[in-house]
Amino acid sequence: MTNSLQPHGHDRTPLPPAQSPADGVPSPRSPRSRQDQRDRQDRPRTPGKQRDSFFDNAKYLAIVLVAMGHSWEPLKGDSRILEGLYTVVYSFHMPAFIIISGFFSRSFDLRPDRLKRLITGVAVPYILFETAFSLFKRYADHDPHQEISLLDPWYLTWFLVALFVWRLTTPIWKLVRHPLPLALGIAMLATITPDIGDDLDLQRVLQFLPYFVLGLCLKPEHFRLVRRRSMRIVAVPVFAVALAFGWWAVPRMNTAWFYHRDSAQELGAPWWVGPVMVLAMFGCSLVLTACFFAWVPGRTMWFTALGAGTLYGYLLHGFLIKGADFAGWFDHASLHRPLGEIFVTLLAATAVTLLCTRPVQRVFHFAMEPRMAWAFKPDAAELARERETAERRAEGRKAERAKVDA
């Protein structure tokens, strides 16, 4: 990330640098060059690099796990091993995603420029893709009764609704004294409140809320703590135990708990099971997420740059998975055997990788990152900063010409 504005010889004090919401998940935008100096120093980063490779690597690997998990859904009913693996992956891949989102939302406030970005980077993609997914299901699945409803997120778009709500409430979580216990309490109450309904998928918004709030509370040293060599060693037996438990739990546990989209009553459990499951799953998810982070490389890898395009991979791979399902491709018997399951897994990982690349980002930039300057009133402070930057550049060019003439 480049340096913030420096004194430049004028008597006046430079305007504070413009800030935009820090990189969250799945927001694909990279940190801006005019990011606030304090936020830049507080953010973990590799010296000399604009982005921190660890977080880009973590986002890419998490989105690969998301795509793989979605590709397993039509197949896992025939394989206890695959369903056990599915259970383990679902226990931490979205929590990891959401924790990173919260960590990079720490600097969010209600400044006009940040609200604009929240609208263009989250709300507008939600409207476009919720409409696109609904139309896709209506025609690709031959379902004429599929409605376009912005109040009922379909398939993947729930995350955009949740991210919008979480970020909008960030100033509140930064204000209260004990944000994480409060968020856990809200999630526990949600699991015993079936009357919340399906509007805006509020059950998921509230039940996943503690992970986002935890991300807001984390500091760079916490991530360094879980990336130690000793933690990487511990992660191996922890994942082995988790896989064994996942295999054991397949016939004994309803995997719908991992979706966080239903109350305890809707899952046929006594009301008190909901709060207990929230705490139990939060603890298990944190352990596995920490182990996942422990094995995420911190150096630049061949896939590091793809971490900036996770929103593209997240939303677009849904059309491939659902399209294959609507076409009946998952019904082939060969795909329900071990080699077929491995083939589908590799295919999903490859597809989502390609969807995170720069060519795909350029094609779908209009939907994921619309500029929409026409929709907002000019920000006087932003215009003043731009004029000041232009003046400084002009002075720099004038000084260089003076040196050449001398």
Side-chain angles (χ1 to χ4, degrees):
M1 191 174 298
T2 57
N3 292 331
S4 59
L5 296 178
Q6 300 293 332
H8 49 78
H10 285 239
D11 293 334
R12 60 184 177 179
T13 302
L15 289 166
Q19 290 180 316
S20 55
D23 236 20
V25 182
S27 176
R29 302 188 182 195
S30 58
R32 301 302 187 189
S33 61
R34 292 177 292 182
Q35 185 68 286
D36 183 86
Q37 178 72 17
R38 181 184 62 187
D39 294 335
R40 291 193 310 107
Q41 291 176 346
D42 194 36
R43 177 179 301 177
R45 59 188 178 90
T46 304
K49 293 183 181 294
Q50 290 186 343
R51 299 177 65 94
D52 188 285
S53 297
F54 167 77
F55 289 104
D56 278 334
N57 293 339
K59 289 193 292 182
Y60 166 75
L61 295 174
I63 198 63
V64 168
L65 290 175
V66 169
M68 289 165 53
H70 288 154
S71 72
W72 294 339
E73 287 180 2
L75 307 176
K76 63 185 180 66
D78 297 326
S79 172
R80 183 172 178 177
I81 294 177
L82 185 62
E83 187 157 2
L85 182 60
Y86 175 90
T87 299
V88 173
V89 169
Y90 260 72
S91 66
F92 74 89
H93 71 354
M94 285 309 299
F97 228 54
I98 296 168
I99 287 172
I100 297 175
S101 294
F103 181 73
F104 282 103
S105 297
R106 292 171 303 153
S107 61
F108 183 84
D109 53 30
L110 299 181
R111 276 177 35 172
D113 58 325
R114 295 188 169 181
L115 290 175
K116 289 177 184 177
R117 180 168 170 192
L118 183 64
I119 293 171
T120 59
V122 180
V124 172
Y126 168 71
I127 294 172
L128 294 177
F129 277 88
E130 175 63 24
T131 303
F133 273 124
S134 299
L135 292 174
F136 182 69
K137 178 170 172 52
R138 177 185 297 179
Y139 295 106
D141 196 28
H142 307 290
D143 183 5
H145 301 293
Q146 175 65 36
E147 297 180 350
I148 299 175
S149 174
L150 298 182
L151 294 179
D152 187 14
W154 189 74
Y155 198 32
L156 303 176
T157 54
W158 72 268
F159 186 80
L160 296 180
V161 173
L163 187 61
F164 185 87
V165 173
W166 295 333
R167 276 202 175 151
L168 202 60
T169 60
T170 292
I172 298 176
W173 301 113
K174 293 162 62 176
L175 178 65
V176 299
R177 189 182 297 273
H178 303 293
L180 186 56
L182 178 59
L184 280 169
I186 292 174
M188 293 166 67
L189 288 174
T191 62
I192 61 175
T193 314
D195 291 339
I196 288 178
D198 296 327
D199 288 351
L200 296 179
D201 230 342
L202 283 179
Q203 278 288 357
R204 272 177 165 165
V205 174
L206 298 178
Q207 290 191 37
F208 274 116
L209 174 64
Y211 300 100
F212 182 83
V213 174
L214 175 62
L216 290 174
C217 298
L218 291 178
K219 297 180 180 180
E221 52 265 30
H222 295 131
F223 288 95
R224 290 194 291 268
L225 185 65
V226 300
R227 293 167 59 190
R228 296 181 302 177
R229 184 173 181 272
S230 59
M231 187 63 188
R232 290 197 295 271
I233 296 174
V234 170
V236 176
V238 170
F239 269 118
V241 171
L243 290 171
F245 179 83
W247 181 87
W248 174 86
V250 166
R252 299 174 174 85
M253 182 177 177
N254 186 351
T255 57
W257 285 106
F258 294 98
Y259 303 147
H260 296 278
R261 66 186 178 195
D262 299 299
S263 65
Q265 295 91 326
E266 291 171 311
L267 294 177
W271 69 268
W272 57 267
V273 175
V276 172
M277 288 297 292
V278 165
L279 294 178
M281 295 185 67
F282 185 74
C284 293
S285 296
L286 288 191
V287 171
L288 292 179
T289 299
C291 292
F292 168 70
F293 285 150
W295 277 98
V296 172
R299 63 185 184 278
T300 300
M301 309 289 289
W302 64 266
F303 53 80
T304 300
L306 302 178
T310 49
L311 176 61
Y312 296 83
Y314 176 79
L315 291 174
L316 294 175
H317 90 276
F319 292 101
L320 301 182
I321 299 294
K322 286 299 183 182
D325 192 21
F326 296 157
W329 293 352
F330 289 107
D331 295 335
H332 290 282
S334 59
L335 298 182
H336 292 256
R337 301 188 181 99
L339 288 179
E341 294 164 357
I342 294 173
F343 171 75
V344 170
T345 301
L346 295 176
L347 191 61
T350 302
V352 77
T353 297
L354 295 176
L355 293 175
C356 292
T357 58
R358 288 296 177 86
V360 175
Q361 294 181 41
R362 285 194 291 268
V363 172
F364 291 96
H365 187 275
F366 74 95
M368 310 288 195
E369 304 178 77
R371 298 188 184 280
M372 297 182 62
W374 54 269
F376 303 104
K377 296 179 180 179
D379 182 7
E382 180 67 20
L383 292 175
R385 279 188 288 264
E386 291 178 357
R387 285 197 302 270
E388 185 174 313
T389 301
E391 291 173 3
R392 290 171 51 234
R393 290 176 179 172
E395 290 176 0
R397 289 194 295 267
K398 186 185 298 184
E400 289 183 2
R401 285 197 297 269
K403 289 181 180 178
V404 172
D405 294 339

